[in-house]
Coordinates of all heavy atoms in Angstrom, one line a residue:
I36 N -0.5 -3.0 -6.1 CA -1.4 -2.7 -5.0 C -1.6 -3.9 -4.1 O -1.4 -5.0 -4.5 CB -2.8 -2.3 -5.6 CG1 -3.3 -3.3 -6.6 CG2 -2.8 -0.9 -6.2 CD1 -4.8 -3.2 -6.9
L38 N -4.3 -6.3 -2.1 CA -5.7 -6.7 -2.5 C -6.5 -7.0 -1.3 O -7.7 -7.4 -1.4 CB -5.6 -8.0 -3.4 CG -4.9 -7.7 -4.7 CD1 -4.7 -9.1 -5.4 CD2 -5.8 -6.8 -5.6
S272 N -6.0 0.5 -8.2 CA -5.0 0.6 -9.2 C -5.2 1.9 -10.0 O -4.2 2.5 -10.4 CB -4.8 -0.6 -10.0 OG -6.1 -0.9 -10.7
K288 N 1.2 -3.0 -16.6 CA 0.7 -4.1 -15.9 C 0.2 -3.7 -14.5 O 0.8 -2.8 -13.9 CB 1.7 -5.2 -15.6 CG 2.2 -5.8 -16.9 CD 1.9 -7.3 -16.9 CE 1.9 -7.9 -18.2 NZ 3.2 -8.2 -18.8
T289 N -0.8 -4.4 -14.0 CA -1.2 -4.2 -12.6 C -0.8 -5.5 -11.8 O -1.1 -6.6 -12.3 CB -2.7 -4.0 -12.5 OG1 -3.1 -2.9 -13.3 CG2 -3.1 -3.7 -11.1
I290 N -0.1 -5.3 -10.8 CA 0.4 -6.3 -10.0 C -0.4 -6.3 -8.6 O -0.4 -5.3 -7.9 CB 1.9 -6.2 -9.7 CG1 2.6 -6.5 -11.1 CG2 2.5 -7.2 -8.7 CD1 3.6 -5.4 -11.5
G291 N -1.0 -7.4 -8.3 CA -1.8 -7.5 -7.1 C -1.1 -8.4 -6.0 O -0.6 -9.5 -6.4
V292 N -1.1 -7.9 -4.8 CA -0.4 -8.7 -3.8 C -1.4 -9.1 -2.7 O -2.2 -8.2 -2.2 CB 0.8 -8.0 -3.1 CG1 1.5 -8.8 -2.1 CG2 1.7 -7.5 -4.2
L378 N -10.9 -11.8 -3.0 CA -9.8 -11.7 -3.9 C -10.3 -11.6 -5.3 O -9.7 -10.8 -6.1 CB -9.0 -13.0 -3.7 CG -7.5 -13.0 -4.2 CD1 -6.7 -11.9 -3.7 CD2 -6.8 -14.3 -4.0
N381 N -11.6 -8.1 -6.1 CA -10.5 -7.1 -6.1 C -9.6 -7.3 -7.3 O -9.1 -6.3 -7.9 CB -9.8 -7.1 -4.8 CG -10.7 -6.5 -3.7 OD1 -11.6 -5.8 -4.0 ND2 -10.4 -6.8 -2.4
C382 N -9.4 -8.6 -7.7 CA -8.6 -8.8 -8.9 C -9.3 -8.2 -10.1 O -8.7 -7.6 -11.0 CB -8.3 -10.3 -9.1 SG -7.1 -11.0 -8.1
K383 N -10.6 -8.4 -10.2 CA -11.3 -8.0 -11.4 C -11.4 -6.5 -11.4 O -11.1 -5.8 -12.4 CB -12.8 -8.6 -11.4 CG -12.7 -10.1 -11.8 CD -14.1 -10.6 -12.0 CE -14.1 -12.1 -12.2 NZ -13.3 -12.7 -13.2
L384 N -11.8 -5.9 -10.3 CA -12.0 -4.4 -10.3 C -10.7 -3.6 -10.4 O -10.8 -2.4 -10.8 CB -12.8 -4.0 -9.0 CG -14.2 -4.3 -8.9 CD1 -14.8 -4.1 -7.6 CD2 -15.0 -3.5 -10.0
N385 N -9.6 -4.3 -10.2 CA -8.4 -3.6 -10.4 C -7.5 -4.1 -11.5 O -6.4 -3.8 -11.7 CB -7.6 -3.7 -9.1 CG -8.2 -3.0 -7.9 OD1 -8.0 -1.8 -7.8 ND2 -9.0 -3.6 -7.1
S386 N -8.2 -4.9 -12.4 CA -7.6 -5.5 -13.5 C -6.2 -6.1 -13.3 O -5.2 -5.7 -13.9 CB -7.5 -4.6 -14.8 OG -6.7 -3.5 -14.5
V387 N -6.1 -6.9 -12.3 CA -4.8 -7.5 -11.9 C -4.3 -8.5 -13.0 O -5.0 -9.4 -13.4 CB -5.0 -8.3 -10.5 CG1 -3.8 -9.1 -10.2 CG2 -5.2 -7.3 -9.4
D388 N -3.1 -8.2 -13.5 CA -2.5 -9.1 -14.5 C -1.7 -10.1 -13.9 O -1.5 -11.2 -14.4 CB -1.6 -8.2 -15.4 CG -2.4 -7.1 -16.1 OD1 -3.3 -7.4 -16.9 OD2 -2.1 -5.9 -15.8
E389 N -1.0 -9.8 -12.7 CA -0.1 -10.7 -12.1 C -0.5 -10.8 -10.6 O -0.5 -9.8 -9.9 CB 1.3 -10.3 -12.2 CG 1.8 -10.2 -13.7 CD 3.3 -9.9 -13.8 OE1 4.0 -9.8 -12.8 OE2 3.7 -9.7 -15.0
L390 N -0.8 -12.0 -10.1 CA -1.2 -12.1 -8.7 C 0.0 -12.8 -7.9 O 0.5 -13.8 -8.4 CB -2.5 -13.0 -8.7 CG -3.0 -13.4 -7.2 CD1 -3.3 -12.2 -6.4 CD2 -4.2 -14.3 -7.4
Y391 N 0.3 -12.2 -6.8 CA 1.3 -12.7 -5.9 C 0.7 -13.0 -4.6 O -0.1 -12.2 -4.1 CB 2.5 -11.7 -5.8 CG 3.3 -11.6 -7.0 CD1 2.9 -10.8 -8.0 CD2 4.5 -12.3 -7.2 CE1 3.6 -10.6 -9.2 CE2 5.3 -12.2 -8.3 CZ 4.8 -11.4 -9.3 OH 5.6 -11.3 -10.5
G474 N -9.8 -16.1 -11.6 CA -9.6 -15.7 -12.9 C -8.3 -15.0 -13.2 O -8.1 -14.4 -14.2
S475 N -7.4 -15.0 -12.2 CA -6.2 -14.3 -12.3 C -5.0 -15.3 -12.2 O -5.1 -16.2 -11.4 CB -6.0 -13.3 -11.1 OG -6.7 -12.2 -11.4
K476 N -4.0 -15.1 -13.0 CA -2.8 -16.0 -13.0 C -1.9 -15.6 -11.9 O -1.6 -14.5 -11.7 CB -2.1 -15.8 -14.4 CG -2.8 -16.5 -15.5 CD -1.8 -17.0 -16.5 CE -2.3 -18.1 -17.4 NZ -3.5 -17.8 -18.1

Side-chain angles (χ1 to χ4, degrees):
I36 51 161
L38 295 169
S272 57
K288 294 245 161 79
T289 305
I290 291 130
V292 185
L378 195 59
N381 291 339
C382 282
K383 285 191 190 303
L384 286 171
N385 291 278
S386 69
V387 168
D388 301 295
E389 298 186 7
L390 174 60
Y391 290 82
S475 283
K476 285 212 157 57

